Amino acid sequence: MKDELKKKDEQKLDEMQQEIDQAAMAEEEADAEDAKEAEDAGADEEASSADEAQQQVEKLEAELKEQTDRALRLQADFENFRRRTSKEKEELAAVVTQGILKDMLPLLDNFERAMAAEAKDGEAFQKGVEMIFTQFGEVLKKNGLEKIETEGQKFDPNFHQAVMRVQNEELEDDDIAQELQKGYMVKGWVIRPSMVQVVAN
């Protein structure tokens, strides 16, 4: 009887131990499954993060390419503009030069006539030269040449070049006493200042 009870107790103990072992195994399996799910979730998160990073890189590369293309287009446009402007300047300079030379052709004709005149006729020669001088002045004026005025003017370093200082009690300081060489402007730009004597009492 005691043996039977002992066997039953041992059997119960074995069953209880098996149940404990099974519960422990089930818990370990659950922990392993949770760990696997967490690992899978982490991997998914990493994959998602990597995808986002890749998309960001591709977007930035596309923007960089677009900006580079735009910069190259602007550079090409600027080069074309520079070439076109340079060519237009050359063409304009050629047109201006042609216009001035065309205006001077009658002067050349009159010089040839004056040179061909009789050497004895000094009066006619002088009149011819005077006509040429007048005509020459008109051509220069037509092309924008202006004389810088000095008579009764004060010295202005923007238009005059003082080469000498003189005393003159009749004039005030910095008045122009005498013009030694005429000065000229073209459309407001001084191309040669007047050479003058300036009063310094």
Side-chain angles (χ1 to χ4, degrees), residues 14 145 151 155 172 185:
D14 287 343
L145 189 74
E151 191 175 344
F155 173 74
E172 296 178 4
M185 299 187 297

Side-chain angles (χ1 to χ4, degrees), residues 50-181:
D51 287 345
E52 284 176 15
Q54 182 64 29
Q55 287 173 1
Q56 188 72 12
V57 167
E58 287 171 4
K59 183 182 173 187
L60 290 171
E61 283 177 349
E63 285 177 7
L64 178 63
K65 186 177 184 302
E66 184 183 338
Q67 292 296 331
T68 304
D69 290 345
R70 186 166 178 265
L72 289 171
R73 279 196 305 275
L74 284 171
Q75 188 176 1
D77 288 345
F78 176 73
E79 281 298 318
N80 290 337
F81 170 76
R82 194 176 59 75
R83 264 191 241 107
R84 190 171 61 250
T85 305
S86 178
K87 188 178 177 185
E88 284 172 1
K89 279 182 184 175
E90 287 174 10
E91 288 172 357
L92 182 62
V95 168
V96 170
T97 304
Q98 288 168 12
I100 293 171
L101 292 176
K102 185 180 175 187
D103 288 341
M104 288 190 168
L105 288 178
L107 292 171
L108 185 62
D109 295 338
N110 288 336
F111 268 120
E112 286 176 351
R113 288 187 195 105
M115 298 298 285
E118 290 285 333
K120 295 176 184 176
D121 196 351
E123 191 178 335
F125 181 78
Q126 186 176 351
K127 277 188 180 178
V129 170
E130 285 172 2
M131 283 175 61
I132 291 168
F133 178 75
T134 304
Q135 193 177 14
F136 184 60
E138 287 170 0
V139 167
L140 293 176
K141 192 174 180 182
K142 177 186 170 186
N143 285 281
L145 189 74
E146 303 169 58
K147 181 180 174 294
I148 296 173
E149 293 299 325
T150 57
E151 191 175 344
Q153 301 290 316
K154 289 273 187 190
F155 173 74
D156 184 343
N158 295 310
F159 301 101
H160 312 123
Q161 180 184 353
V163 293
M164 197 180 296
R165 289 196 171 271
V166 294
Q167 290 187 346
N168 187 331
E169 298 297 332
E170 295 175 8
L171 298 172
E172 296 178 4
D173 283 356
D174 291 333
D175 279 353
I176 293 173
Q178 186 182 354
E179 181 180 64
L180 303 174
Q181 186 183 63

